[in-house]
Amino acid sequence: MADVSLKEAALIVGVVSACYWNSLFCGFVFDDVSAILDNKDLHPSTPLRNLFQNDFWGTPMSEERSHKSYRPLTVLTFRLNYLFSELNAVSYHFLNLVFHVVVCVVFLKVCKLFLDNRSSVVASLLFAVHPIHTEAVTGVVGRAELLSSIFFLAAFLSYTKSKGPDNTIVWTPIAVTVFLVAVATLCKEQGITVVGICCVYEVFIAQGYTLPVLLDTAVQILQGKGSIPFSMLQTLLKLIVLMFSTLLLVVVRVQVIQSQLPVFTRFDNPAAVSPSPARQLTFNYLLPVNAWLLLNPSELCCDWTMGTIPLVESLLDVRNVATLTFFCFLGSLIVFSLRYPGDSSKTVLMALCLIVLPFIPASNLFFPVGFVVAERVLYVPSMGFCILVAHGWKKLSNKSVLRKISWVCLAVVLFTHALKTLHRNWDWESEYTLFMSALKVNKNNAKLWNNVGHALENEKNFERALQFFIQATQVQPDDIGAHMNVGRTYKNLNKTKEAEESYMIAKSLMPQIIPGKKYAARVAPNHLNVYINLANLIRANESRLEEADQLYRQAISMRPDFKQAYISRGELLLKMNKPLKAKEAYLRALELDRTNADLWYNLAIVYIELKDPTEALKNFNRALELNPMHKLALFNSALLMQESGDARLRPEAKQRLLHYVKEEPQDANGYFNLGMLAMDDKKDMEAEAWMKKAIRLQPNFRSALFNLALLYSQTAKELMALPVLEELLKYYPDHTKGLILKGDILMNQKKDITGAKTCFEKILELDPNNVQGKHNLCVVYFEERDLIKAEKCLVETLALAPHEEYIQRHLNIVRSKIASLSATEQSSLPPDVTATAGAEEKQKSFQNLKEEKNGQKTTQTTVDNNKGHSKNKKRTEKNNMDKETPKKSTKEIKDIEKKRVAALKRLEEIERILNG
C-alpha cells in the first residue's frame, strides 16, 4: 500500500480550497435550519445523552414524527461547532471543507490499492472537484456524508491489512474494522455498507478468486469430488465474523428506531405509494437518472421530490430505454469484473462495489426513503465513478495516438467541473438563492415554490411570498401544505376571510378517518396542523370559541397522541375561562411527553389562573429542571417569587432574572424587574441602574420611566424625577399617576402652584372622578387663598369618596377658617387687628391642610407583568397655637383697614364668580 506524499496532499488541499473557498460565505439553508438552528441538542444546556436518544433533527426516536435518521456523532460535531462559535455559519462550513479534504486524501490512499500513482491522483482530483458534492460539502447537513465517508474508507483500509503472511488471519485489523464500521454507521446509516465492500475485496481481490473458479469449486464440493480448501475456510471465517458483526449492528439499529420506519407521504416519494408496475418502473428509472447526474452534473437541484420526475406508468414509456441501457452497461461491467482475472477486472469490480453497495440504502429496494433523488447520497458512489473514469483515462493515455487528446479532455473536465462547483456554491448562499436556482432546473416541484415562499416570508415580504405559495397550489392542487401556507400568509396580511378559505381547502384534502386503520400512517403528522391553524384563526372571534374547540378535539380524535392539539386546546380553554379543563388537557399532553419543558410551563400558567401560586412555582421549577434556560419560565417564575412578598425568595428571583437577561439582553422587561427587586430590597442605587438600562433599551418604557421617577421622589431627589416625568408624559400624556407625582413635586419642591394646578386639572379632564387629583386641586385652591373655591372643591371630593376621613377633616379646617374670617369682621377688636389675625390664621390653617394632605398621600403605580409597587410619603402634622395680636398705632390701623377692605372686595368677587 503506497503512502500519500506531501506534494499530493498539498495539491488536493489547494484544489479543494480553490473550489470551495466561497462556501465560507454561505449561511444555514434548507435542512440546515432544522438540523442546526432549530436543534436543541446543539446547546450546551442539553444533556449529552439526548444526542443518543434523538434523531439527526433533535426529535426523540420514540416519536412517530421522527425521521429515524440516527447520527449522534455527526450531531456531536455540530455541538462542538456551537460550543466554539454558536451559530456562526463560517465555522460550520470551514469544518465541512476540512472534512472534504480529509476524505479526498484518504480516497487517494484507497485508489493506490487498485490504480497506479498517476491515475490515483486523477481519480482523487476528479472526486475533489465534482459538482455533485456541493450539497454534501456546502450544505452543512452534508457533514453526515463526509464523516461517514472518512470512517467508511478507514474501515476498508484497515481490513486490507487483515491478510498476513502465508494467507494467515490478522485479527487486530478486523477488530478495528468492526469498530470503524460502527463509528461510520453512527455518522450516517450507509456506513454499514462498507462490510459488503470488505467481503468482495476478501474474495475477489485478496484471495484472487473469480466467479468461474468459485462455481467450479462449489460444484466439486457438492458432487463430493473434493473438500473445501483451507484458504477458503479462512476466508469463510473472516466473512462470518464480518457478517455477524454487521448483523449485530443491524439489530442494534432496529432497536434504536424501535422497529418503526419513518412516515413519509406521497409528496416526498410519489413512486413509493404508486401501484405496480409504476412503482417498479419508476424506481428502476431513477438509477440511470442518478448515473446521469454523475456523468453530466450540469443541472443540479437541491430537491427532487413531488413532481420533479414524473412517474413511469407504462412499459411503452420511452424512458424505459434509458433504464434498459443502464442495466445492460452495468451488467457487462459486472460480468467483465467477475469472470476475468487481472488487475483491470479487479479495479472495475471495486469501482462497481463503491458505486452500487453504498447506494443500496437510498435505492428504495428494501424500504422507501423520503426523497426521489438526493445528490448528497451520491458522495460515496461517486468514488467508484471516479475510479472508473481514471481507469478508463489510463487505458486511453497509454495509447500514443490518444495520449494528447486524453490529457486535454482530462484538463477540460477538471477545469469545467471546478468552475461548476465554484458557481454552484453561490446557490447555497441563502435559501432564496438556493430555491430560485432549483426552480430554473425544475418548475414542476411544488415544494420548491413553497420554499421560495418561505424564504420571502422570513424576510416579511408576505405579498411576494403569497404569489409563490399560490403557484405551488397550482402546480400541485392536492398539496395540503401549500394551501396551509397560503392560509398562513393571508393571515399575516390580515385577510382572515381568505385565510379561512385556504385552511378549509386544506382541511378538505385531508384523508377521511377509516375505522380500524391507523390515521398517522397515511398522512404527514405536520399536515394535522391544518386543524390547529384553522382553530387558532377563528378563535380570535369570541363568538366562535366553541367551533375552535371542536377543531382541536377533531385533531385529537384523529391522533390521540397529537401533543400540539392538547397544548393549543389548553390555551383556548384558558381563554374560555375553563382552567380546570385546561389543566386536564395539559396533564394529558404530559402523559405523552413528560420531558417537554413547555408543557410544564403552560401547566404553571394554569395554576396561576387557579390562584395556586405554590403549584405554579413547582411547575415552573420542573420546566427549568428540563430546560434551565427556558426563558419564559425564568422570567415568570421570578415574577411569581417577587410578587409572593417572601424576602427569602428574592435572591433566587434575582438569579433567574439575571439568567433571563443573559439569554435576552435586548429585552427591557428583564432589567426593569431587576430594578423592582432592588427597590423591594431598598437597594436604591442598584434599582436606579437597572431602570436606566431598561429605559436605554426602550425609551418609551412606561413603567420603567414612572418607577424611576418614583424612586427619585422617595430618595429626596425630587428635582431629578422631573425630567424623567417629562419624558414619561411626552410618550403618555394621559399617565394619571405621572401627572399626580409631577404636580406634587412642582407644588411642594418647586413652589410652582400654576404648574401643579395644570397637572391636576389635566387629570380631571381625563378622569373627573379621580379622588386624588381632585383633592390635590383643592389644595392648590387653598394655596391660592381661595377658601370658598377650596370648600366647594372639597365638598365635591367628599361626595366622590365619602369614607375618606382626611377629606372631611380638611373640609372642616377650611370651613373653620371661613367662619373665623366672618367672626373677625363682627368682632369688637379694631379692624386692623381682626384683619391681621385672620391673615395669620389663614396661613396656619393652610399649613395644617398641606401637611395633613401630605400625610395622607399615597403614590401607587401599576407595573408591567402585574408588578405593583407603592410607597407612602409622610410628614408630621404640626399644631400651631394662635398668638395674641399686639396693639397697633393709628397710622398702622388705617393701613390695615385699607387692606381689609380690599381683601373683602376680592373675596366678594371670587364668591360672585363661583356662585355664577
Side-chain angles (χ1 to χ4, degrees):
M1 184 188 303
D3 291 327
V4 177
S5 69
L6 187 60
K7 288 183 179 180
E8 292 168 339
L11 175 64
I12 290 173
V13 170
V15 170
V16 171
S17 300
C19 289
Y20 286 99
W21 64 268
N22 57 339
S23 69
L24 301 179
F25 300 97
C26 298
F28 295 116
V29 297
F30 204 13
D31 290 339
D32 297 347
V33 176
S34 299
I36 308 295
L37 300 183
D38 298 339
N39 193 347
K40 295 180 181 178
D41 287 347
L42 272 63
H43 301 172
S45 58
T46 303
L48 274 174
R49 65 175 181 274
N50 284 23
L51 273 64
F52 297 89
Q53 296 172 351
N54 299 341
D55 66 12
F56 188 53
W57 317 99
T59 305
M61 295 292 290
S62 58
E63 292 191 11
E64 187 175 345
R65 62 190 178 95
S66 169
H67 281 212
K68 311 302 181 185
S69 46
Y70 189 64
R71 304 163 192 174
L73 296 186
T74 303
V75 179
L76 182 61
T77 64
F78 292 152
R79 185 166 172 139
L80 291 174
N81 270 122
Y82 188 92
L83 182 65
F84 289 106
S85 64
E86 293 193 351
L87 295 177
N88 182 1
V90 175
S91 71
Y92 294 80
H93 289 294
F94 178 75
L95 198 54
N96 271 25
L97 191 153
V98 171
F99 285 146
H100 183 51
V101 169
V102 174
V103 173
C104 293
V105 172
V106 179
F107 176 59
L108 174 59
K109 194 175 182 67
V110 171
C111 289
K112 290 187 176 186
L113 294 172
F114 315 109
L115 296 170
D116 60 34
N117 194 61
R118 186 175 61 183
S119 301
S120 297
V121 173
V122 168
S124 183
L125 289 176
L126 182 59
F127 178 80
V129 303
H130 203 296
I132 201 72
H133 300 154
T134 52
E135 183 172 344
V137 180
T138 310
V140 178
V141 294
R143 186 177 299 179
E145 318 289 337
L146 305 176
L147 283 173
S148 180
S149 299
I150 291 172
F151 295 107
F152 179 101
L153 295 174
F156 177 69
L157 287 174
S158 176
Y159 186 80
T160 59
K161 300 176 182 178
S162 64
K163 182 180 177 181
D166 300 326
N167 207 21
T168 56
I169 300 175
V170 183
W171 289 106
T172 301
I174 295 177
V176 172
T177 297
V178 172
F179 172 76
L180 292 173
V181 169
V183 173
T185 306
L186 291 175
C187 293
K188 193 178 180 184
E189 299 77 4
Q190 69 181 27
I192 200 170
T193 59
V194 70
V195 173
I197 295 174
C198 291
C199 292
V200 173
Y201 173 84
E202 176 65 30
V203 175
F204 296 100
I205 309 299
Q207 302 301 328
Y209 295 121
T210 60
L211 188 61
V213 171
L214 290 175
L215 291 175
D216 288 342
T217 303
V219 169
Q220 290 179 4
I221 292 173
L222 291 174
Q223 291 176 351
K225 296 181 180 180
S227 60
I228 301 176
F230 180 74
S231 60
M232 189 171 289
L233 287 174
Q234 286 186 311
T235 300
L236 285 174
L237 179 61
K238 292 170 73 174
L239 295 182
I240 289 171
V241 170
L242 279 178
M243 297 306 295
F244 179 79
S245 302
T246 304
L247 182 61
L248 185 62
L249 286 174
V250 171
V251 170
V252 172
R253 184 68 174 81
V254 171
Q255 289 296 318
V256 167
I257 66 173
Q258 301 185 2
S259 305
Q260 292 180 346
L261 290 175
V263 177
F264 298 116
T265 69
R266 59 190 178 88
F267 301 112
D268 298 319
N269 190 349
V273 295
S274 300
S276 298
R279 181 169 65 254
Q280 290 77 14
L281 291 174
T282 303
F283 282 158
N284 284 305
Y285 172 67
L286 293 179
L287 299 177
V289 169
N290 282 278
W292 181 251
L293 286 175
L294 289 173
L295 190 62
N296 179 30
S298 59
E299 293 187 342
L300 299 177
C301 181
C302 63
D303 193 298
W304 296 80
T305 57
M306 304 189 84
T308 303
I309 300 176
L311 295 173
V312 181
E313 298 179 308
S314 169
L315 290 171
L316 300 178
D317 194 310
V318 69
R319 290 175 292 176
N320 289 320
V321 175
T323 305
L324 186 62
T325 303
F326 170 78
F327 277 109
C328 288
F329 181 71
L330 181 65
S332 63
L333 288 178
I334 292 173
V335 169
F336 169 76
S337 61
L338 292 178
R339 184 171 182 178
Y340 302 104
D343 292 339
S344 180
S345 60
K346 291 179 180 179
T347 301
V348 172
L349 178 61
M350 292 311 300
L352 289 176
C353 286
L354 283 170
I355 292 173
V356 174
L357 294 179
F359 186 74
I360 287 177
S363 65
N364 291 284
L365 291 178
F366 298 106
F367 48 83
V369 294
F371 54 83
V372 178
V373 173
E375 294 166 10
R376 62 176 175 265
V377 303
L378 294 175
Y379 189 77
V380 176
S382 68
M383 295 178 185
F385 171 79
C386 292
I387 291 176
L388 276 181
V389 172
H391 183 60
W393 174 83
K394 173 189 172 184
K395 295 290 186 182
L396 292 176
S397 63
N398 286 338
K399 296 180 180 180
S400 57
V401 180
L402 301 175
R403 182 173 298 147
K404 291 183 179 180
I405 296 177
S406 65
W407 277 101
V408 170
C409 290
L410 176 64
V412 169
V413 168
L414 290 176
F415 182 72
T416 55
H417 276 42
L419 280 183
K420 173 64 177 177
T421 297
L422 191 66
H423 181 265
R424 175 64 173 159
N425 287 336
W426 289 120
D427 292 340
W428 291 81
E429 184 177 12
S430 67
E431 292 206 321
Y432 180 77
T433 56
L434 178 64
F435 297 127
M436 286 301 291
S437 69
L439 283 175
K440 294 176 184 177
V441 176
N442 171 34
K443 291 181 170 58
N444 295 323
N445 186 340
K447 189 174 180 181
L448 293 176
W449 293 99
N450 280 320
N451 286 335
V452 175
H454 286 309
L456 292 168
E457 188 180 30
N458 291 336
E459 297 173 359
K460 307 300 181 184
N461 192 345
F462 297 121
E463 293 286 353
R464 283 198 66 202
L466 182 61
Q467 297 174 10
F468 282 90
F469 289 143
I470 291 175
Q471 182 63 33
T473 63
Q474 294 172 354
V475 171
Q476 189 90 33
D478 58 349
D479 183 6
I480 298 171
H483 290 287
M484 290 170 64
N485 292 335
V486 172
R488 186 181 62 257
T489 309
Y490 273 131
K491 181 183 178 183
N492 290 330
L493 291 171
N494 295 320
K495 297 181 179 180
T496 54
K497 181 180 178 182
E498 292 85 348
E500 184 173 349
E501 290 173 356
S502 298
Y503 284 139
M504 291 301 292
I505 293 173
K507 181 172 174 285
S508 68
L509 293 171
M510 296 288 287
Q512 300 301 311
I513 300 175
I514 300 175
K517 188 168 184 180
K518 192 176 183 181
Y519 179 83
R522 299 178 297 115
V523 69
N526 63 317
H527 283 173
L528 282 172
N529 285 325
V530 67
Y531 295 97
I532 307 299
N533 294 346
L534 181 57
N536 291 343
L537 178 69
I538 66 175
R539 78 183 197 184
N541 185 340
E542 295 290 338
S543 64
R544 302 181 68 183
L545 296 181
E546 289 293 343
E547 185 180 347
D549 188 36
Q550 178 62 33
L551 286 167
Y552 291 135
R553 282 183 280 148
Q554 187 174 355
I556 291 170
S557 68
M558 288 181 169
R559 239 179 77 173
D561 62 344
F562 190 18
K563 182 175 57 184
Q564 186 58 46
Y566 291 106
I567 295 173
S568 298
R569 184 167 184 248
E571 295 171 359
L572 176 66
L573 291 169
L574 275 178
K575 185 176 181 179
M576 297 171 69
N577 198 25
K578 298 179 179 179
L580 290 176
K581 287 190 175 181
K583 177 183 172 183
E584 292 176 6
Y586 287 132
L587 289 175
R588 178 69 182 92
L590 282 169
E591 291 176 9
L592 300 171
D593 182 9
R594 299 189 66 82
T595 62
N596 189 321
D598 291 336
L599 281 174
W600 292 103
Y601 169 80
N602 288 349
L603 188 58
I605 299 300
V606 172
Y607 278 114
I608 289 177
E609 292 294 323
L610 291 171
K611 311 298 183 187
D612 191 346
T614 304
E615 283 299 316
L617 189 57
K618 286 181 182 178
N619 285 282
F620 279 138
N621 292 339
R622 186 64 186 271
L624 291 170
E625 287 174 9
L626 295 169
N627 180 9
M629 289 295 107
H630 193 291
K631 290 180 284 191
L632 288 174
L634 284 170
F635 185 79
N636 286 290
S637 63
L639 289 186
L640 196 61
M641 292 175 176
Q642 189 177 1
E643 291 168 359
S644 69
D646 189 345
R648 294 172 299 178
L649 296 177
R650 286 179 194 161
E652 178 62 24
K654 181 178 180 180
Q655 288 302 314
R656 293 188 181 187
L657 285 173
L658 288 172
H659 284 307
Y660 176 77
V661 296
K662 184 179 179 181
E663 291 293 311
E664 290 288 338
Q666 298 303 312
D667 187 359
N669 287 289
Y671 301 106
F672 166 70
N673 283 284
L674 280 166
M676 297 304 293
L677 268 176
M679 287 179 73
D680 289 342
D681 287 334
K682 311 297 183 186
K683 297 178 181 178
D684 298 331
M685 293 183 65
E686 183 181 337
E688 179 184 355
W690 288 124
M691 292 294 182
K692 285 183 175 179
K693 191 159 189 176
I695 293 168
R696 279 198 299 271
L697 289 172
Q698 187 179 332
N700 64 340
F701 196 156
R702 178 185 178 116
S703 298
L705 286 166
F706 179 77
N707 280 279
L708 179 59
L710 180 63
L711 177 65
Y712 283 142
S713 71
Q714 292 167 347
T715 53
K717 300 177 182 177
E718 288 88 348
L719 297 183
M720 293 179 66
L722 275 179
V724 180
L725 288 169
E726 293 289 349
E727 193 73 10
L728 170 68
L729 295 172
K730 181 179 77 173
Y731 292 111
Y732 308 101
D734 57 347
H735 194 290
T736 303
K737 297 186 182 299
L739 287 166
I740 289 175
L741 185 56
K742 181 183 176 184
D744 180 69
I745 294 172
L746 288 174
M747 186 167 61
N748 294 324
Q749 302 299 322
K750 300 278 287 183
K751 306 303 180 183
D752 182 359
I753 305 301
T754 304
K757 185 176 182 180
T758 303
C759 291
F760 299 140
E761 287 175 341
K762 175 70 173 176
I763 293 170
L764 294 178
E765 287 178 14
L766 299 169
D767 180 12
N769 296 325
N770 188 292
V771 175
Q772 193 172 357
K774 195 166 184 67
H775 175 266
N776 288 1
L777 185 60
C778 299
V779 176
V780 171
Y781 293 150
F782 202 117
E783 193 77 52
E784 293 176 338
R785 309 297 191 270
D786 195 341
L787 295 178
I788 303 301
K789 201 169 184 179
E791 179 191 23
K792 182 180 179 182
C793 177
L794 286 167
V795 169
E796 294 172 354
T797 308
L798 188 62
L800 294 174
H803 301 294
E804 293 291 347
E805 183 270 337
Y806 74 94
I807 299 176
Q808 180 66 60
R809 188 164 67 252
H810 293 171
L811 178 58
N812 292 338
I813 292 173
V814 171
R815 284 175 171 171
S816 69
K817 298 313 168 187
I818 293 174
S820 176
L821 284 174
S822 300
T824 302
E825 293 175 2
Q826 300 171 7
S827 171
S828 60
L829 288 173
D832 56 319
V833 177
T834 306
T836 304
E840 291 181 1
E841 190 67 31
K842 178 178 177 181
Q843 180 65 29
K844 294 172 189 173
S845 175
F846 167 72
Q847 182 69 25
N848 288 338
L849 172 63
K850 182 177 174 185
E851 291 171 356
E852 193 68 52
K853 177 256 174 187
N854 285 332
Q856 294 291 332
K857 188 186 79 166
T858 302
T859 304
Q860 184 174 356
T861 181
T862 302
V863 180
D864 288 355
N865 303 307
N866 297 321
K867 172 61 188 168
H869 190 77
S870 63
K871 295 286 181 181
N872 293 329
K873 294 168 72 178
K874 297 182 179 179
R875 298 178 184 173
T876 305
E877 183 177 346
K878 299 177 181 179
N879 296 316
N880 294 318
M881 303 298 295
D882 291 340
K883 295 182 180 179
E884 188 177 330
T885 305
K887 293 184 177 181
K888 307 291 181 182
S889 65
T890 304
K891 184 180 179 181
E892 289 173 333
I893 291 172
K894 287 181 179 179
D895 291 337
I896 293 172
E897 177 63 15
K898 291 179 182 178
K899 293 178 182 178
R900 186 182 67 81
V901 171
L904 288 173
K905 287 182 178 179
R906 187 171 69 251
L907 288 173
E908 289 172 359
E909 181 65 16
I910 292 171
E911 184 176 4
R912 185 184 65 79
I913 294 171
L914 290 173
N915 291 335

